[in-house]
Amino acid sequence: NNPDTSNTITMIVNPILAVSVSISASANPFCQGSTITFTANPTNGGTTPLYQWKVNGGNVTGSISVYSYVPNNGDIVTCVLNSSIPCPTGNPATSNTITMVENTNVVVSVTISSSVNPVCAGTSVTFTATPVSGGTAPVYQWKVNGIIAGGNNPDYSYVPVNGDVIICILTSNAVCASGNPATSNSVIMTVNPNLPVSITISASANPVCAGTVVTFTSAAMYGGPTPFYQWKVNGLNAGTNNPVYSYIPVNGDIIKCVVTSDTICPTGNPATSNQITMTVNPNLPVSINISASANPVCSGISVTYSSATIYGGTTPFYQWKVNGVNAGTNSSTYTYNPVSGDQIICILTSNVVCPIGNPATSNIITMNVPASPMVTFTLCNDSITTTNAQPFKLKGGIPLGGTYSGAGVTSGIFYPAIAGVGTKIITYTYTNSALCFASSSLQFVIRNPSFVICGSDLTDPRDNKVYLTVQIGSQCWLAEDLNYGMEIPENMDQRDNCIAEKYHNPASSIQHPASVY
């Protein structure tokens, strides 16, 4: 018999492996309140290692390779590894120790400010961000009305419009930053419109008369609550800080005003007004002198008074006065029949520029009006005659010593033939010692002679009486007495009394008439 042979056992001899473990923290130092994850890194832990985490020497829950919790400052964290490999050495193995260092949390914030606010339209404004806990490399994001603007810079400049809202968002890189990213305060821009400053001035009067005080008044636009006024005359400072200025100008003065506004956002400041060039007219002394066409003058004679004016203007107004009573019309002359003692003046109202002594009163003319003579002209001659009548001396003018005039009159003699047929006016004029004269007139009728056949009737043209005629020899006679004129006795002489007189001789059948004026 063969003896039995046993099974064969192949020996596996595992090497002896040194077990170890190291741990690491997700963050250390760490921020207060942060959850930190610790990770174990085993060496030869086997397929089913067991981990025992320890904090400050005390076991904590968990048997896996990671452990998370919120540590406190100074916590000591370790991990013990129980390897599942055969032939381990140094098993269980204890890790390195991590002592936790807690950092204090910092609050991130940012404030912004503007270089100026309010501002004037068109002004560039710089906004500056002031960070708190921004870290070493903070990131800035500017926004205008919610829209991203500017760059990553603590300063941002642009030209705002009214009502713009500017903010800045700060992203800090500081350790343990809270409130990150932080949004700044809002800056709401007040943008005032630009106001064009201007000024105009006006004069109380221009042109003016010499010596007149003129007040200049300014009207400022956007001058502000307390504008400053600087008046200038011919380029030199004048007046005071006042919107009005008064003085006595001379001809050619140039006045203007410069206003400095204190309004918000002025443009064109200070502003210069328009210029006023003054026209200063000289003062003109108005005067009037009057004269009479005659003085003395005879009663009943019209006198024309004439005026001579100085600075009366283009349309002067004349007021004549006789004995203080208005007379005449608005005329440089005045005509009327004065009486003795009348006092005539004229008041001139000038329309010249800058008159003085206006209205002006003329000199006084006191009239000397001697009485005119009382003249009568009584008919002392036949008023009806013929062209073949003999010339006769004119009489009947009273007072004596005057002169006769009219057609056919020469040296006081009336010549019917020269006067000619028709009605003629004969005038008697007498001039007294004051050289005043008066006249009186009569009518004389001159007819052509009547040719009568002797033996027929003859009509006397003076009174239209009819007379018979008779032929005696070679002559033709009246057959009866001429019955014209006033009968007087035969013993009375005929008189030069301007009355037609006649004698009557009844014994005579044929007589020539006898009459005297």
Side-chain angles (χ1 to χ4, degrees):
N1 291 327
N2 289 328
D4 292 333
T5 303
S6 68
N7 59 308
T8 301
I9 297 175
T10 302
M11 296 298 297
I12 298 172
V13 179
N14 292 311
I16 297 173
L17 300 176
V19 176
S20 65
V21 62
S22 65
I23 62 174
S24 62
S26 58
N28 194 27
F30 67 97
C31 297
Q32 185 179 13
S34 298
T35 297
I36 305 300
T37 297
F38 299 87
T39 303
N41 298 299
T43 299
N44 299 320
T47 58
T48 58
L50 295 177
Y51 300 91
Q52 179 58 67
W53 293 91
K54 293 178 181 287
V55 176
N56 299 322
N59 292 339
V60 295
T61 303
S63 61
I64 59 177
S65 62
V66 293
Y67 169 61
S68 297
Y69 86 114
V70 178
N72 293 314
N73 187 48
D75 277 358
I76 298 173
V77 180
T78 60
C79 183
V80 177
L81 170 64
N82 284 309
S83 177
S84 63
I85 63 170
C87 304
T89 64
N91 189 44
T94 299
S95 71
N96 55 300
T97 297
I98 296 177
T99 300
M100 298 305 296
V101 176
E102 180 183 71
N103 286 327
T104 302
N105 290 338
V106 293
V107 178
V108 177
S109 66
V110 61
T111 58
I112 61 173
S113 61
S114 60
S115 56
V116 60
N117 189 22
V119 296
C120 300
T123 302
S124 179
V125 178
T126 297
F127 301 86
T128 301
T130 301
V132 174
S133 303
T136 57
V139 175
Y140 301 90
Q141 179 59 71
W142 294 92
K143 291 191 176 188
V144 176
N145 301 323
I147 298 173
I148 293 174
N152 179 18
N153 198 293
D155 296 316
Y156 169 54
S157 297
Y158 87 115
V159 177
V161 297
N162 191 51
D164 274 358
V165 179
I166 297 90
I167 63 171
C168 182
I169 299 174
L170 169 67
T171 301
S172 172
N173 72 334
V175 175
C176 299
S178 64
N180 192 37
T183 300
S184 73
N185 56 301
S186 296
V187 174
I188 300 174
M189 290 305 299
T190 298
V191 180
N192 294 308
N194 292 318
L195 303 178
V197 178
S198 65
I199 181 173
T200 58
I201 61 173
S202 60
S204 57
N206 190 26
V208 295
C209 301
T212 301
V213 175
V214 178
T215 297
F216 300 87
T217 303
S218 65
M221 181 71 72
Y222 301 122
T226 55
F228 181 81
Y229 299 89
Q230 180 59 69
W231 293 91
K232 290 179 180 286
V233 177
N234 301 322
L236 301 177
N237 290 346
T240 59
N241 177 22
N242 199 294
V244 296
Y245 169 54
S246 298
Y247 87 116
I248 299 174
V250 297
N251 191 50
D253 274 359
I254 299 174
I255 298 88
K256 64 182 179 180
C257 185
V258 178
V259 65
T260 301
S261 171
D262 66 343
T263 192
I264 297 173
C265 301
T267 61
N269 191 41
T272 300
S273 73
N274 55 302
Q275 293 187 162
I276 295 178
T277 301
M278 292 303 299
T279 299
V280 180
N281 295 308
N283 293 318
L284 303 178
V286 178
S287 65
I288 180 172
N289 186 73
I290 60 173
S291 59
S293 58
N295 192 23
V297 66
C298 298
S299 176
I301 302 299
S302 292
V303 177
T304 296
Y305 302 88
S306 300
S307 63
T309 63
I310 296 177
Y311 300 125
T314 55
T315 56
F317 181 82
Y318 301 88
Q319 180 59 70
W320 294 91
K321 288 179 180 283
V322 176
N323 300 323
V325 179
N326 291 348
T329 60
N330 177 21
S331 175
S332 60
T333 61
Y334 168 55
T335 301
Y336 88 115
N337 295 340
V339 298
S340 193
D342 275 357
Q343 290 189 326
I344 296 89
I345 64 171
C346 185
I347 297 175
L348 167 69
T349 302
S350 172
N351 75 327
V352 74
V353 177
C354 301
I356 57 175
N358 191 42
T361 301
S362 72
N363 54 303
I364 299 175
I365 295 178
T366 302
M367 293 304 299
N368 180 9
V369 185
S372 295
M374 298 296 295
V375 175
T376 60
F377 186 11
T378 303
L379 185 64
C380 290
N381 307 92
D382 288 335
S383 63
I384 301 175
T385 188
T386 60
T387 56
N388 62 346
Q390 290 298 313
F392 55 87
K393 183 178 181 180
L394 292 168
K395 295 188 294 181
I398 300 297
L400 298 177
T403 59
Y404 296 92
S405 62
V409 177
T410 302
S411 300
I413 305 299
F414 181 63
Y415 296 86
I418 296 175
V421 176
T423 300
K424 309 298 176 180
I425 303 298
I426 306 302
T427 300
Y428 178 71
T429 301
Y430 177 79
T431 301
N432 63 17
S433 59
L435 301 181
C436 296
F437 64 89
S439 300
S440 183
S441 299
L442 294 174
Q443 288 186 351
F444 288 78
V445 178
I446 313 300
R447 297 178 178 176
N448 286 318
S450 299
F451 294 96
V452 179
I453 297 174
C454 200
S456 61
D457 292 339
L458 172 67
T459 300
D460 189 341
R462 295 172 295 180
D463 57 7
N464 290 322
K465 290 182 179 180
V466 179
Y467 301 93
L468 294 175
T469 61
V470 63
Q471 182 78 35
I472 301 176
S474 59
Q475 296 179 331
C476 186
W477 292 74
L478 293 180
E480 55 186 314
D481 285 341
L482 185 65
N483 188 19
Y484 179 77
M486 184 180 70
E487 186 175 326
I488 62 174
E490 293 182 0
N491 60 354
M492 181 182 290
D493 293 333
Q494 293 178 337
R495 296 157 295 176
D496 188 5
N497 59 1
C498 292
I499 298 174
E501 297 175 339
K502 67 180 179 181
Y503 294 118
H504 180 64
N505 184 1
S508 175
S509 58
I510 301 175
Q511 294 184 357
H512 293 291
S515 61
V516 176
Y517 289 87

